[in-house]
Amino acid sequence: MNLTITDVWLTPILVADPPLLNTQGVHQPYTPRLIVEVLTADGITGVGETYGDTKYLELARPFAEKLKGRQVDDLNGLFTLADEVAVDDDRVSGQVDVGGLRGVQTADKLRLSVVSAFEVACLDALGKTLGLPVHALLGGKVRDAVEYSAYLFYKWAAHPEGVACEQDDWGAALDPAGVVAQARLFKERYGFTSFKLKGGVFPPEEEIAAVRALAEAFPGHPLRLDPNGAWSVETSLKVAGELADVLEYLEDPALGTPAMAEVSAGTDVPLATNMCVTTFAEIKEAFTRDAVQVVLSDHHYWGGLRNTQQLAAICRTFGVGVSMHSNTHLGISLAAMTHVASTVPGLHHACDSHYPWQSEDVLTQRLTFDDGKVTVSDLPGLGVELDREKLAVLHQRWLDDDGALRERDDAAAMRIADPEWVTPAVPRW
Amino acid sequence: MNLTITDVWLTPILVADPPLLNTQGVHQPYTPRLIVEVLTADGITGVGETYGDTKYLELARPFAEKLKGRQVDDLNGLFTLADEVAVDDDRVSGQVDVGGLRGVQTADKLRLSVVSAFEVACLDALGKTLGLPVHALLGGKVRDAVEYSAYLFYKWAAHPEGVACEQDDWGAALDPAGVVAQARLFKERYGFTSFKLKGGVFPPEEEIAAVRALAEAFPGHPLRLDPNGAWSVETSLKVAGELADVLEYLEDPALGTPAMAEVSAGTDVPLATNMCVTTFAEIKEAFTRDAVQVVLSDHHYWGGLRNTQQLAAICRTFGVGVSMHSNTHLGISLAAMTHVASTVPGLHHACDSHYPWQSEDVLTQRLTFDDGKVTVSDLPGLGVELDREKLAVLHQRWLDDDGALRERDDAAAMRIADPEWVTPAVPRW
């Protein structure tokens, strides 16, 4: 058994994305992702996936070089290594990311978002080498399947005319009836029983009406609304008050810990976040001020699966719930999310996943949802296999792009339909 | 590879302990410990060690039965399993443990103290099976050696006359000169450069004088004083004031989070604890009140090595330091402590260990301190080997005992020398 990493491959790709609306704009027809592979001296390959915008790629390249010659089981060492990779300060603003709705941007967070793909790839390779599933490398699953929620979006039927892209078969959803129809389709296709609506797109009254329509169509089912911080404290409290009887939680109604703490103090509706707490540095203030009741972990932000377990332990210790966030991702990340989620005790909420929106993948076999759940794989590693032909096609698309799509920018995508569009000031309502 | 646990062996032992003084009394001539072994279907054995008093043993027995047939890599499952084992409520008082100075006693903590030995044994067996050291199963070491501190005690030259026991060669230490002489011996024998004095034995002025003498004898070396909560807030602040220029930290000067928070607010000397924060349930209050600046983890209390890593992550997130506590223990636990300590980033303080006080062990080869450090083993598992003959001798001593020594009771041991001795009321000074 030789655990030495002999090579690391980085493959940036562009993956088809439907015209999903959020408060910043609309998803581009293609979203950049980065596929990471590590190869060990035994000829074992491990795969990982993360955000693919240039700033991630620029950091991943020197990191990949440093990784060669190290041991694939040296997972704690990945963080030491990450600290050694310089981040171009122009790439991190200390501000909320305009395009990606990804919360605070710091050099550390950028590093961790890159490390996460390498950590998952190392875990995959290590698991394959040892004959153990990734969940076993994380201490073992405590459940055999992980529940996901339907991730509802307001959406157009198609990307703007003239934009070359794949077409989806979901249709439009621009009002309560459209949202309910989409939810029915999600339930029919995947069996989901929890529903999250991405809000912040229309005035709050319209989104309240959509959630009300969902509650009527799916009585007793857990419902969530996530306007990505688009609301003032006052608006947040108004929405919380009007939907208190049907919401499982309200996600990031307002932006930043002080505003979230104010909302939290004024309502009994639990507040979830993937924006005001996306780094370990933000936990202390948010938890001591009781600003959030559920943290939605994105293992990419937090630096991988083992850090996600640590986050879960911190949440448990402070009586804060934990579940999982999702941004546009493929099957590698869904497999990774499922492995780590299977090991977290007290996962009280169905996890988010964009996966159903992604018609393309880089795997030989897509992961499936049965009754809204993904079965935890007991195969060695992640239990997924890379399809090199599919990967090559999506990479070629990235190569062919003139650069316009290599940075995800939902506002720029919106301007194709509405040239006057500017990123809305926050709070929008 | 078959990871199924086919058998579990529990061996209670009595291990020689010198007449070390603390605020409750004196160490018994023999201390109970429990040695745990798990056997897998592949014929691999893993070893663990924990407290050996009857209440631990009573819990370990049904736990061991439940463990058979499970997988040795199902580490998260150990906690689920532990929840299924009933704890006799009479065995846990919700109060501070009188005999062992082990902090709050709850059913959960008792369970975790038992689980820890099984977790370490499982990690040892798993590591041996996979050909990986335990630190690799914890994500990999970030340092090659772990630093320990000299654990100085006021002590008698020998146990009371008439008590059958082993003799030690450390001599008495009952005043500043004796403490300094003991420290010199520690430095000479093991190379330690940090010194911790177990206090709470003599009036504070005498202990202040002892620390002053240490500071003079070892200028610039990190010094600590630990009276096990024997002092009032007022006394604590007085001692902190007088020793502020030489103390690395003050350990548990007063008892309980409210008192510690009061002390903390009144001094710049960092406060360490192994008494007011010994469970995850105690963290929130202590950290939000800034009652402690360093948590000394005892992996037995916290439920093993992976929980210790989680504790360290919580401390890191809240800007609280972390190091390691020790109670009387043998080489298995020292090896376990060293493996986990090697994986914890930002371990800013030398760890505690009683190991130099234990002339007996159950290993074929004792672990050694070089320049105050234990080298992290890269052998599969913990890297230690059980000596069955030595184990049998110490187990026979336990079998031969009439029950008087099977429960560690420092006050009872003191009453042999001083029949009038009663456990001092707290605060003692």
Side-chain angles (χ1 to χ4, degrees), chain A residues 206-227:
Chain A
E206 295 186 37
E207 301 189 349
I208 290 170
V211 174
R212 278 272 156 228
L214 285 170
E216 218 164 288
F218 305 98
H221 290 227
L223 303 179
R224 313 151 181 186
L225 178 57
D226 169 20

Side-chain angles (χ1 to χ4, degrees), chain A residues 307 310, chain B residues 309 311-322 344-346:
Chain A
N307 273 17
Q310 292 188 345
Chain B
Q309 289 184 301
L311 168 63
I314 297 169
C315 288
R316 197 160 55 247
T317 302
F318 281 79
V320 172
V322 70
V344 171

